[in-house]
Amino acid sequence: MKSKYKAVQIYLEHGFGYKRVAKELGIPEASIRSWVKFYENEGMSGLEEKRGKSKGINKGRPRKNPLSSEEELIRLRAENEYLKKALVSYLRMQIWLMNKQTNHVK
């Protein structure tokens, strides 16, 4: 967070452009732009790391277009079919490995 704040301060206090700050600090210009925007909108809290902080149900970014009940049911059924096939494949592999080990021991 200190390097983000330093970059933002150089941009705001010294009047350097995004490109110059990026070049001076060896940081992508897009990062400088984002940090300045976050700082202007949220202050220091805008510069805190946000990745990986949302855990649990109903956390994180919400869907732009929530699924209808029917669409959700279709999605869940498809997911169940996929998981059933994956489980069968996994179990077949485990049986094959057990047979291979059993035959190798004899």
Side-chain angles (χ1 to χ4, degrees):
M1 188 164 84
K2 289 180 183 178
S3 62
K4 291 179 183 181
Y5 181 68
K6 178 181 175 184
V8 169
Q9 288 306 101
I10 291 171
Y11 173 81
L12 293 174
E13 291 178 5
H14 298 289
F16 295 157
Y18 294 116
K19 282 185 182 183
R20 183 164 177 196
V21 175
K23 186 177 179 181
E24 293 287 328
L25 299 176
I27 298 171
E29 183 181 341
S31 296
I32 306 296
R33 286 182 186 277
S34 295
W35 298 342
V36 169
K37 179 181 162 190
F38 291 142
Y39 182 79
E40 288 176 337
N41 291 335
E42 303 172 36
M44 285 299 286
S45 64
L47 300 179
E48 292 177 5
E49 184 62 48
K50 294 176 178 77
R51 292 181 292 182
K53 292 210 174 182
S54 61
K55 296 191 183 207
I57 194 163
N58 295 327
K59 297 226 175 177
R61 189 176 75 204
R63 288 182 168 268
K64 288 185 178 180
N65 298 317
L67 298 176
S68 69
S69 296
E70 289 179 31
E71 292 170 324
E72 181 70 5
L73 182 59
I74 292 168
R75 186 192 70 76
L76 289 170
R77 284 182 175 160
E79 183 178 328
N80 282 341
E81 287 303 312
Y82 171 81
L83 291 172
K84 285 178 190 177
K85 289 177 183 177
L87 178 61
V88 168
S89 178
Y90 172 78
L91 291 173
R92 283 184 179 153
M93 179 61 77
Q94 293 300 312
I95 291 169
W96 181 81
L97 288 171
M98 285 175 35
N99 286 336
K100 185 176 177 183
Q101 289 174 348
T102 304
N103 291 333
H104 183 64
V105 171
K106 291 181 181 180

